[in-house]
Amino acid sequence: MRRKYQLLMIEKIRNNKQLGSIGIFDSGVGGLSILKEIRNLLPHYDYLYLGDNARAPYGTRSFDSVYQYTLEAVTWMFGMGCPLVILACNTASAKALRTIQQKDLAKIASNNRVLGVIRPTTESISQYTKSRHIGILATSGTVKSDSYLIEIARYSPDIQIVQQACPMWVPLIENNEHLSEGGFFFIEKYIRQILLKDDKIDALLLACTHYPLLIPAISSIIPPHIRLISQGTLVAEKLKDYLLRHSDIEQRCSKGNLVRYFTTEDKNDFSEKARLFMDEPVAAQTIQLSRLDNSTGCKD
Ligand code: DGL
């Protein structure tokens, strides 16, 4: 039964020629920091945001789980008509993007596209450092993947990088504890750790979409010569450029200034948290993602 449903869904995605929203996916609410900047720059498009809050955080999950969950989310978003999905989650971009682009897309929707947030960030990062020493703050999963080291070495091989995993930050934000005294303790802890690793750092990259909510606290800790880089504007600029260069995809993106929000968890809880990021009321809907069998051919 499940297999029949999956085949029907894949058939529906393949035949879809209609206009659709740009999909923005994250493990939780963090990707809203990316959506916000994309909307500021490209307000006329429609957007569909999905947060997999029921299974967040992704940062401490295995490679295979993040890949499987991300593939389920992307398949659902294609089913909702999105011609283009942005993985607004560093962990999903690090662990799932390449396999989905190289193996799954051809099977589920070869005309659609999936993009991540790591490439657009690393392409632009060079302009933020004079000392050529950068610190990367990210989830354990992103740090372990070494994606930032690999990508930065490709575009700016002269830059020295140190990384710091910050496993407590996403749970603090998801539970709205990041402004508490206990929250500040963990913010300070990881910042001190990364600064001890390299005293020449003059830029710190917030390589997790949740972290922009910590900017006021981090700014109060770091020396004034260190720049904090968040990804939202970088990703938005690169998306604008991508749409200019790919008119086939751009023409399939609907333009009605509409944003729809979906979560795999409680919709009221999501809406409440989302308000913190978007600075406006958010009305989310709850959905369930279907597990994909290996037998669909979507997974190797
Ligand atoms: N927001 C995601 C990122 O950018 C990760 C959060 C999580 O651990 O789920 O990496």
Side-chain angles (χ1 to χ4, degrees):
M1 192 61 193
R2 182 190 288 167
R3 168 134 178 93
K4 198 170 163 199
Y5 169 75
Q6 287 169 0
L7 291 174
L8 272 174
M9 193 160 72
I10 288 170
E11 202 48 38
K12 183 179 152 202
I13 294 168
R14 280 196 180 128
N15 294 333
N16 184 19
K17 302 263 184 303
Q18 291 176 345
L19 298 184
S21 308
I22 297 175
I24 311 279
F25 171 68
D26 186 55
S27 58
V29 286
L32 293 167
S33 66
I34 303 284
L35 170 65
K36 190 173 179 185
E37 296 300 339
I38 291 178
R39 250 178 98 203
N40 280 344
L41 193 66
L42 304 166
H44 49 292
Y45 292 104
D46 293 328
Y47 297 96
L48 184 158
Y49 184 91
L50 172 62
D52 189 9
N53 298 73
R55 301 186 290 198
Y58 278 16
T60 44
R61 289 194 183 271
S62 71
F63 187 97
D64 205 47
S65 297
V66 172
Y67 162 65
Q68 187 64 30
Y69 297 167
T70 306
L71 181 58
E72 287 166 16
V74 168
T75 305
W76 181 82
M77 294 172 101
F78 284 167
M80 291 293 285
C82 300
L84 172 66
V85 171
I86 314 289
L87 302 185
C89 172
N90 288 272
T91 313
S93 299
K95 292 183 165 185
L97 178 65
R98 185 165 302 183
T99 316
I100 292 176
Q101 283 176 333
Q102 293 180 353
K103 296 207 173 126
D104 301 303
L105 206 52
K107 296 171 198 160
I108 54 174
S110 56
N111 293 332
N112 291 356
R113 290 292 173 266
V114 184
L115 304 173
V117 288
I118 296 179
R119 177 73 59 91
T121 307
T122 53
E123 278 175 359
S124 314
I125 204 161
S126 171
Q127 59 187 290
Y128 294 96
T129 174
K130 284 203 178 92
S131 71
R132 315 308 278 168
H133 288 246
I134 286 181
I136 310 271
L137 299 156
T139 65
S140 309
T142 301
V143 167
K144 277 193 203 128
S145 75
D146 278 343
S147 297
Y148 274 97
L149 301 188
I150 295 163
E151 289 291 325
I152 293 175
R154 186 194 304 253
Y155 296 107
S156 312
D158 62 314
I159 293 182
Q160 308 284 313
I161 302 153
V162 287
Q163 302 194 92
Q164 176 65 46
C166 312
M168 289 299 289
W169 286 4
V170 170
L172 284 171
I173 293 165
E174 288 283 337
N175 291 293
N176 207 10
E177 285 290 342
H178 54 289
L179 299 176
S180 69
E181 211 178 305
F184 190 80
F185 172 86
F186 284 106
I187 296 169
E188 195 171 30
K189 176 178 170 176
Y190 299 140
I191 294 294
R192 299 235 174 274
Q193 282 176 355
I194 195 164
L195 295 184
L196 277 176
K197 289 178 185 173
D198 181 350
D199 60 7
K200 295 199 184 69
I201 288 173
D202 67 352
L204 279 175
L205 172 67
L206 303 177
C208 171
T209 53
H210 284 67
Y211 298 173
L213 283 188
L214 306 180
I215 288 175
I218 297 175
S219 303
S220 74
I221 300 165
I222 57 176
H225 72 279
I226 297 183
R227 288 183 76 170
L228 271 185
I229 313 163
S230 49
Q231 298 173 290
T233 48
L234 303 182
V235 173
E237 287 290 348
K238 292 288 177 184
L239 176 61
K240 183 177 174 188
D241 182 52
Y242 177 90
L243 291 170
L244 282 172
R245 287 183 293 109
H246 295 84
S247 56
D248 51 328
I249 294 289
E250 199 282 333
Q251 281 162 12
R252 292 171 55 212
C253 297
S254 55
K255 297 157 188 86
N257 310 295
L258 185 78
V259 191
R260 287 172 295 160
Y261 298 91
F262 297 88
T263 173
T264 53
E265 249 300 338
D266 181 75
K267 60 183 182 185
N268 297 325
D269 196 35
F270 178 94
S271 302
E272 186 61 29
K273 286 178 193 158
R275 209 164 40 87
L276 289 176
F277 281 87
M278 303 308 288
D279 296 322
E280 66 182 21
V282 165
Q285 297 174 52
T286 300
I287 59 124
Q288 238 188 334
L289 291 173
S290 317
R291 282 205 50 206
L292 293 169
D293 285 345
N294 290 353
S295 55
T296 57
C298 295
K299 186 177 181 302
D300 46 359

